[in-house]
Amino acid sequence: MNSDQIAHGDVDVDLGRLLAGMRRQWARILIASLIITGLVFAALYMMTPQYRAQTRLLIETRESIYTRPEGLDSGDRPILDGEGVASQVELITSTKILTDVAEEFNLANRGEFSGQKGSLLSGLLVMAGLKSAPVEGTAEERVLREFRERLSVYRVENSRVIVIEFSSADPKLAAQIPNAVADAYVAMQSDAKLQSNTSATQWLEPEIKDLRERVKEAEARVAEYRSQSDLLLGQNNTVLATQQLAEISSELSRTRANRSAAAAQAASIRSALERGASVENLPEVMASPLIQRLRERQVELNAQIADLSTSLLDNHPRIRALRSQLGDLDAQIRSEANKVLAGFESEAATAQRREEELTAELNRLKANSAMAEEEQVELRALEREAAAQRELLESYLTRYREAASRSDRNYLPADVRIFSRAITPSEPYFPKILPVTVAAFVASLLVMAIFTLLQELASGRAMRPTGRVSAPVPGAVRMPRAEPPMNLATQEPEPHLPQHPMEPADASGEETRVPEWPWQRGGVDGVGIEQAAERLVTGGATRALFISPEGDEGAAASVLVARDVADSGLRVVLLDLTASGAASLPMLESVAYPGITNLLSSEAQFGDVIYTDLFSESHIIPVGTADPAKAMRAADRLPIIMESLSAAYDVVVVECGPTDAQAVGRLLSGGTEVLVSVLNPDEVDLAAQILDDLRDSGVADPILVSAAGHTMPPAPPGRDAA
């Protein structure tokens, strides 16, 4: 392949040549992969195997319910949150713990911790600049640095579990170190609790001593003030003056009630006596025993009089004597009622005098109680101070006894538990010789294959010419050229055509006769615009190819059919493949728009070349403004573009211009209708010839359509009719 073809970009990648080049180089690819794999295997084999073990800790409250301080519930003890657990992770990696463990196992005398010699991998990384060289320092610093590099402490996500991992060339040491670090951490926590407990007891001893003195002084002040103020206590811990005031108030209330009752009873009896009414029915009078006996005697006399009245007259001495006795009894009852009245009046007067005495005593006790209340304010303040000092002393004594007992018995459990100890690992975690070797072999094969592909592409051996036919395609708005325009469907020159394709006149200038649809001329059946559109809609056609043997004038049929199909509600796009833009000019009133030639030349995308018809909902792709020669190089992309349009639209209408059956064949597919348009239905010889050619080339049922007699829609204001 020459460099001019590559420079102009008219080449494609030949996959056959590319794969053939890889087959030629397969031995080199395999050998190089094996060499790389062997080097990786040797490096891994020379590395010192490393073993890893881990110990797991759980941060939790270890206090027993039997030894928990009194009044402290398990829910009162704070549980470490995420930040607290992270702090414990940092505490485990503290210098003190690591130093103690390093001294316990004498790590300074081990070669892997002394830092005097490193592994082969470390040396290679340092030489490659991927790892910093070890910094010189004291033996303790080198041990701690190596210790921290091999130690990994982290928290398990969303838990209070801490994992301690350690790696070493010695499997036994790999298990002993994390267990020792965990034990040291637990011991440090217990020591911290012991130290805190001891500090608490040392602080509480002098505080308790001072509090005892302050409690004594406060209680002494309370007793002294009580005796000086004569605030003696009665029942229910109340001051005596207040208690007496309450008792006098109760007594005064009872006296007033008794006086009111006696006065009311006296008034009732007095009212009955003054009216001369019978008093023996009053409850107060009937309560007297003498009145009750007189009343009984009165009933007996009335009974005797009633008994004797049956046999004696009213003036009989016996009856007169009994009535005289009855009158004496009434006088005695009224006399006794007066005595009862005098008793009630005397009782009311006595209650009145008692009430006056109690009122005077109550006023005196009120004054004394007011003074006692004022003195009690100060007394209560002294008592509150004494009570607060006493409560503080009792709480300090309780805490001191608990702290002292824990220190004496050495019971201070740390809030951490080792629930999984490290065991001696049996297999190294690094290096994994077999998996790494296999991965190195696969990676080396892939790298060598990519290198070989790039080498073949760069040499040009895997490239081939595109084999596309170049033909000039004049633009729709370019200046006139000497050569005739080229049709995109036929790739052949078109004859010069009239400027106005929609004029329905024949060569003689006479008006064309409007036929009846459907029509037949010379044994050829034809249809009108409406019948053609109806056939596309009802027949389910997805693509309609229009051939205009009479030139640009025949393009009117494709425009009108596209508009009718769009008016039926289907999505329609018209693709203008004529050289002069005869189909797009009446729909856009200009041909100076990017179109199919720009799309073929890769100068525009689909969205840049699709427009809407000015008179309908149909879409239009004009011929375009790109260089025709450049567009024709990509003419074999036209079927692909057609397939994309068929996927987006219900019907794709293609105006092919004056082409032949062979050129249309490359645009045929399933669901395609081929229509031949004529202007004059009386002159169908040329159209009939094309119909025969189409049938010979495999088109089953081509359609002859004419736009003659079709009424054009009115033009919008300010525009010309299409």
Side-chain angles (χ1 to χ4, degrees):
M1 165 170 282
N2 56 43
S3 60
D4 292 339
Q5 288 176 317
I6 297 177
H8 285 84
D10 53 350
V11 293
D12 283 338
V13 177
D14 192 337
L15 294 180
R17 296 180 182 179
L18 193 62
L19 296 177
M22 289 189 62
R23 286 195 298 270
R24 289 194 302 270
Q25 301 291 337
W26 72 270
R28 187 185 66 172
I29 295 174
L30 182 60
I31 293 173
S33 300
L34 291 176
I35 292 174
I36 296 174
T37 304
L39 294 175
V40 171
F41 177 80
L44 293 174
Y45 189 78
M46 295 173 61
M47 291 180 182
T48 302
Q50 297 291 323
Y51 297 87
R52 177 186 292 168
Q54 62 176 218
T55 300
R56 292 177 176 262
L57 308 175
L58 176 62
I59 305 298
E60 65 177 358
T61 301
R62 299 294 306 281
E63 192 68 60
S64 172
I65 60 174
Y66 304 106
T67 59
R68 186 178 300 122
E70 184 179 358
L72 181 63
D73 192 7
S74 59
D76 298 335
R77 294 183 61 85
I79 300 178
L80 292 179
D81 54 3
E83 295 179 355
V85 177
S87 302
Q88 299 303 311
V89 170
E90 295 298 324
L91 181 61
I92 293 175
T93 58
S94 62
T95 302
K96 183 180 184 308
I97 292 180
L98 299 186
T99 302
D100 293 343
V101 174
E103 292 178 356
E104 178 183 354
F105 290 92
N106 196 17
L107 298 182
N109 295 330
R110 290 179 174 267
E112 58 180 329
F113 292 94
S114 62
Q116 297 177 355
K117 64 175 183 178
S119 63
L120 176 61
L121 179 60
S122 299
L124 294 176
L125 293 177
V126 171
M127 292 177 60
L130 300 177
K131 181 180 179 181
S132 59
V135 181
E136 296 296 333
T138 62
E140 183 179 0
E141 291 176 350
R142 291 196 300 269
V143 170
L144 288 179
R145 185 168 58 250
E146 291 293 331
F147 200 165
R148 284 195 169 92
E149 289 181 359
R150 297 172 179 273
L151 181 67
S152 176
V153 182
Y154 59 91
R155 168 203 174 195
V156 178
E157 189 176 0
N158 299 327
S159 69
R160 294 191 299 275
V161 175
I162 298 177
V163 180
I164 304 175
E165 287 185 351
F166 187 77
S167 60
S168 173
D170 185 358
K172 185 179 295 185
L173 184 66
Q176 292 174 346
I177 292 295
N179 291 333
V181 171
D183 293 335
Y185 169 68
V186 174
M188 176 181 284
Q189 291 288 79
S190 298
D191 292 342
K193 276 197 170 184
L194 179 60
Q195 183 179 359
S196 176
N197 200 71
T198 303
S199 301
T201 55
Q202 293 175 356
W203 178 81
L204 285 173
E205 287 180 356
E207 288 292 324
I208 290 174
K209 184 177 180 181
D210 294 342
L211 276 175
R212 282 173 175 168
E213 296 297 329
R214 291 200 294 268
V215 169
K216 289 180 181 179
E217 294 175 0
E219 292 179 346
R221 286 196 298 270
V222 170
E224 182 181 359
Y225 186 81
R226 188 186 298 276
S227 62
Q228 291 177 357
S229 303
D230 196 20
L231 296 175
L232 301 178
L233 297 178
Q235 295 180 356
N236 299 328
N237 242 356
T238 58
V239 180
L240 188 60
T242 304
Q243 184 176 349
Q244 290 177 349
L245 179 62
E247 293 175 355
I248 292 297
S249 297
S250 300
E251 182 66 21
L252 179 60
S253 299
R254 287 194 300 271
T255 301
R256 286 176 177 173
N258 293 336
R259 178 183 60 79
S260 299
Q265 291 172 350
S268 176
I269 297 173
R270 186 183 301 109
S271 176
L273 292 175
E274 290 177 353
R275 295 194 313 270
S278 177
V279 296
E280 60 270 14
N281 295 327
L282 296 175
E284 297 82 1
V285 176
M286 290 298 298
S288 174
L290 180 58
I291 296 296
Q292 293 177 1
R293 287 194 297 272
L294 292 176
R295 180 62 178 163
E296 292 175 358
R297 180 58 183 165
Q298 187 180 25
V299 171
E300 291 177 0
L301 290 176
N302 286 329
Q304 291 178 7
I305 291 173
D307 187 28
L308 293 175
S309 296
T310 58
S311 60
L312 299 177
L313 296 175
D314 292 339
N315 291 327
H316 192 276
R318 181 63 177 166
I319 292 178
R320 294 177 63 183
L322 291 174
R323 286 181 175 173
S324 176
Q325 293 179 11
L326 185 61
D328 293 341
L329 287 176
D330 291 337
Q332 290 180 6
I333 290 174
R334 296 187 70 84
S335 175
E336 187 63 25
N338 287 326
K339 292 179 181 180
V340 173
L341 173 62
F344 279 120
E345 290 177 348
S346 177
E347 183 180 353
T350 303
Q352 179 68 30
R353 290 191 297 271
R354 178 61 179 167
E355 181 180 353
E356 293 174 356
E357 293 175 359
L358 290 176
T359 302
E361 182 67 16
L362 181 64
N363 293 333
R364 185 183 66 81
L365 289 177
K366 282 182 179 179
N368 294 339
S369 178
M371 294 178 60
E373 288 295 334
E374 294 178 358
E375 293 173 349
Q376 269 191 310
V377 173
E378 182 66 23
L379 179 62
R380 282 194 292 267
L382 294 175
E383 288 177 344
R384 283 195 301 271
E385 179 65 23
Q389 297 291 343
R390 190 182 305 108
E391 290 177 359
L392 184 60
L393 175 61
E394 291 174 356
S395 65
Y396 277 13
L397 286 173
T398 301
R399 295 178 183 178
Y400 178 77
R401 286 192 294 267
E402 292 174 354
S405 63
R406 287 171 176 268
S407 298
D408 295 341
R409 297 296 181 180
N410 195 22
Y411 180 73
L412 292 167
D415 292 336
V416 60
R417 177 168 61 91
I418 303 174
F419 69 91
S420 177
R421 287 189 172 272
I423 59 176
T424 303
S426 58
E427 295 182 0
Y429 80 96
F430 179 83
K432 300 290 187 181
I433 297 179
L434 182 59
V436 175
T437 302
V438 173
F441 178 71
V442 174
S444 59
L445 279 177
L446 181 61
V447 171
M448 290 303 300
I450 294 175
F451 177 76
T452 304
L453 289 175
L454 295 176
Q455 189 178 21
E456 290 292 324
L457 291 174
S459 65
R461 291 190 296 268
M463 311 300 289
R464 62 178 175 83
T466 59
R468 293 171 181 169
V469 180
S470 298
V473 180
V477 294
R478 298 183 183 275
M479 297 298 294
R481 303 194 181 195
E483 66 273 15
M486 183 70 66
N487 185 284
L488 289 178
T490 62
Q491 302 180 11
E492 295 178 357
E494 289 185 350
H496 180 72
L497 299 172
Q499 181 67 26
H500 303 285
M502 299 301 294
E503 295 176 354
D506 55 14
S508 62
E510 297 179 357
E511 186 175 329
T512 304
R513 182 175 58 85
V514 179
E516 296 292 336
W517 307 114
W519 50 270
Q520 185 178 26
R521 298 291 188 274
V524 178
D525 295 331
V527 297
I529 298 299
E530 291 82 359
Q531 288 76 16
E534 182 180 359
R535 181 164 179 176
L536 294 180
V537 173
T538 58
T542 59
R543 189 178 301 179
L545 307 180
F546 279 82
I547 301 175
S548 303
E550 298 175 347
D552 287 353
E553 291 88 344
S558 60
V559 174
L560 297 175
V561 169
R563 289 174 177 173
D564 275 3
V565 175
D567 291 341
S568 67
L570 298 182
R571 295 173 297 175
V572 182
V573 63
L574 191 148
L575 178 59
D576 188 0
L577 297 183
T578 63
S580 60
S584 53
L585 178 60
M587 302 183 78
L588 300 177
E589 295 190 349
S590 175
V591 292
Y593 292 100
I596 185 62
T597 56
N598 303 85
L599 191 61
L600 291 173
S601 302
S602 300
E603 297 178 0
Q605 302 295 328
F606 274 103
D608 302 328
V609 300
I610 299 177
Y611 306 92
T612 303
D613 181 19
L614 298 176
F615 295 89
S616 70
E617 296 298 326
S618 174
H619 288 176
I620 173 67
I621 299 180
V623 66
T625 59
D627 183 11
K630 184 177 180 181
M632 292 308 298
R633 293 195 193 101
D636 55 350
R637 293 178 52 197
L638 190 58
I640 301 176
I641 295 175
M642 294 288 294
E643 292 294 334
S644 301
L645 292 175
S646 298
Y649 290 90
D650 297 324
V651 180
V652 179
V653 179
V654 183
E655 176 55 52
C656 301
T659 184
D660 54 15
Q662 183 178 2
V664 172
R666 62 192 304 178
L667 302 179
L668 294 176
S669 66
T672 301
E673 294 284 352
V674 180
L675 299 94
V676 179
S677 61
V678 295
L679 289 177
N680 190 352
D682 295 329
E683 299 178 0
V684 296
D685 296 337
L686 182 58
Q689 180 62 38
I690 294 179
L691 291 174
D692 294 337
D693 294 341
L694 289 172
R695 295 189 185 96
D696 295 340
S697 62
V699 178
D701 191 12
I703 305 171
L704 183 64
V705 60
S706 176
H710 185 77
T711 302
M712 301 299 296
R719 296 180 181 268
D720 297 331

